[in-house]
């Protein structure tokens, strides 16, 4: 095996091991940007109940922290 071939294999392994961004990071840049862009205006307009959204956002933060969204990439 040549040095270049080994280098390509190592690069490929390093790419696979990188953590993948969550869908919120891909779509909005961060979960906070999603909350600021969509949820806060929805609360202010009365579309969403602020007390329910506290639990929902907490669950999404936990989902993002635990990387549970990576199961979607496994398909």
């Amino acid at each position: 095996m040549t040095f270049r071939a080994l280098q390509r294999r190592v690069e490929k392994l390093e790419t696979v091991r990188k953590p993948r961004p969550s869908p919120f990071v891909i779509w909005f840049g961060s979960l906070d940007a999603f909350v600021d862009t969509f949820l806060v205006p929805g609360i202010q307009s009365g579309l969403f109940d602020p007390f329910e959204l506290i639990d929902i956002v907490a669950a999404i933060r936990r989902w993002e922290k635990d990387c549970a969204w990576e199961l979607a990439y496994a398909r």
Side-chain angles (χ1 to χ4, degrees), residues 14-75:
E14 288 175 348
T15 302
V16 169
R17 290 184 181 170
K18 285 182 186 177
R20 294 184 183 192
S22 75
F24 288 100
V25 172
I26 293 169
W27 297 329
F28 304 103
S30 71
L31 180 58
D32 293 330
F34 168 72
V35 171
D36 293 341
T37 304
F38 291 99
L39 300 184
V40 171
I43 291 170
Q44 291 171 342
S45 70
L47 184 63
F48 302 129
D49 180 9
F51 298 107
E52 288 180 0
L53 276 182
I54 290 172
D55 293 334
I56 292 169
V57 171
I60 293 172
R61 286 193 193 282
R62 200 171 327 112
W63 176 75
E64 193 172 48
K65 179 184 166 226
D66 295 342
C67 297
W69 47 266
E70 283 191 340
L71 295 174
Y73 288 115
R75 293 183 191 168

